[in-house]
Amino acid sequence: MNHLNTAPSRRRFLAAAVGLGATAAGTSGVAAAATGPRPLRVATFNIHHGASPADVTDLDRVARVIQAMRVDVVGLQEVDRFWKRSGFVDQPAWLGERLGMRHAFGANLDSAPEEPGRPRRQYGTAVLSRWPIRSWTNTHLPLVPGHEQRGLLQATLDVRGTRVDFAVTHLQHDDNQERERQSARIVELLGSSPERTVLVGDLNATSETPEIRTLTDVLGDVWPRAGTGDGFTYDSVNPHARIDFLLPSRDLRPLTAQVFTADPEASDHLPVMSDLLLPVCHRR
């Protein structure tokens, strides 16, 4: 696994992006910077409702990890709103305010409040973005009765005037056939040839499984292209499996991919981050 305690220099990748744009356009570096490919740092993080592996809740610790990664956009799983176990905090709103980021939340569980007068408690996935979120939808995925409802949260971002579709999911943990149906539904929702699209999440399966291959038939996987080592993300204290994925569409080029290990006890998963190169957006 790539044990890096600090995020890589963004200046280095921006310089590389400008250079690529200059080569493609055959113009000066200054001109290419305005029209060429541009980097976007993305991540996925299962935050375990803000609790450590020892089940100590500290949402600010999660915020510090996200802040240290210096991401443009991150997809979160296992996010609480108004649960007693996490202090009745609206976690996506709190993290958004704490980090100065926009947020969207997809409720996959929506239950009665745990105490009279409290809001309904919800649980699901979230997007935090430094760029404007123009719209978002949450779609429930195929469900085996008695299992936990899962969903696909899709957010449309405005990244320097370019539309980027960012999606986050969390697949069923103990039923591979259910995961296969969920993956197939995600492909239906994203399309068979998506562009400027990133799917991230805790997929609860490894790369060789049919459910992951269903996704990587239409999307890329940053780790084989830009990662070093095994990429294990679970569990955070003794990593032994790569089940957290960043899957960009084929038109997005991964420059880096790394497991972020600065604070392995902030959650029971380790986050994964990548610098992606957005394609040129021609305007008329």
Side-chain angles (χ1 to χ4, degrees):
M1 179 165 53
N2 191 7
H3 290 281
L4 296 178
N5 289 336
T6 57
S9 168
R10 302 189 72 176
R11 184 180 302 169
R12 173 161 55 96
F13 297 122
L14 182 57
V18 170
L20 287 169
T23 301
T27 59
S28 70
V30 173
T35 61
R38 299 173 179 183
L40 179 73
R41 180 167 292 178
V42 302
T44 184
F45 192 11
N46 182 324
I47 67 169
H48 194 222
H49 61 269
S52 71
D55 206 28
V56 176
T57 302
D58 187 348
L59 194 58
D60 194 67
R61 190 172 186 176
V62 170
R64 293 194 300 270
V65 171
I66 297 171
Q67 188 172 44
M69 290 192 290
R70 294 186 289 128
V71 292
D72 293 302
V73 57
V74 57
L76 307 178
Q77 304 87 46
E78 298 194 19
V79 183
D80 278 0
R81 295 186 76 226
F82 311 121
W83 283 68
K84 185 176 182 178
R85 67 185 179 187
S86 48
F88 297 106
V89 173
D90 182 344
Q91 290 190 332
W94 189 95
L95 286 168
E97 183 175 357
R98 165 70 170 75
L99 295 166
M101 302 175 78
R102 289 90 167 175
H103 74 276
F105 176 74
N108 296 319
L109 301 182
D110 186 346
S111 304
E114 293 180 279
E115 293 182 358
R118 296 281 187 179
R120 292 182 65 83
R121 53 179 167 156
Q122 296 179 322
Y123 177 77
T125 58
V127 172
L128 298 177
S129 175
R130 299 201 183 281
W131 297 101
I133 299 174
R134 296 305 186 195
S135 62
W136 63 269
T137 59
N138 189 60
T139 303
H140 286 172
L141 297 176
L143 173 69
V144 170
H147 285 182
E148 180 183 316
Q149 180 66 65
R150 311 287 177 153
L152 180 72
L153 174 61
Q154 297 171 266
T156 298
L157 312 180
D158 183 347
V159 180
R160 310 178 191 91
T162 296
R163 170 179 171 150
V164 174
D165 293 320
F166 188 85
V168 54
T169 194
H170 184 192
L171 301 187
Q172 179 64 26
H173 67 286
D174 60 356
D175 188 329
N176 64 299
Q177 293 184 346
E178 186 176 8
R179 287 195 299 270
E180 288 181 42
R181 292 194 292 273
Q182 290 170 345
S183 292
R185 178 60 175 145
I186 288 171
V187 170
E188 289 179 4
L189 291 166
L190 297 182
S192 58
S193 299
E195 295 182 346
R196 293 188 179 87
T197 297
V198 186
L199 171 68
V200 312
D202 172 3
L203 304 185
N204 275 314
T206 52
S207 60
E208 74 284 356
T209 58
E211 54 266 46
I212 302 302
R213 290 200 301 268
T214 293
L215 298 172
T216 55
D217 280 347
V218 299
L219 297 165
D221 180 352
V222 302
W223 198 262
R225 296 183 63 187
T228 301
D230 50 43
F232 291 167
T233 59
Y234 184 81
D235 61 36
S236 59
V237 176
N238 182 30
H240 59 273
R242 183 168 80 95
I243 62 174
D244 298 88
F245 287 82
L246 299 171
L247 306 178
S249 54
R250 308 285 186 197
D251 57 336
L252 303 183
R253 176 186 170 191
L255 299 171
T256 66
Q258 63 184 268
V259 177
F260 193 75
T261 60
D263 187 356
E265 295 195 12
S267 174
D268 61 346
H269 285 243
L270 295 169
V272 187
M273 56 187 286
S274 177
D275 287 278
L276 303 175
L277 207 57
L278 297 179
V280 176
C281 182
H282 296 288
R283 294 186 179 181
R284 296 185 181 276

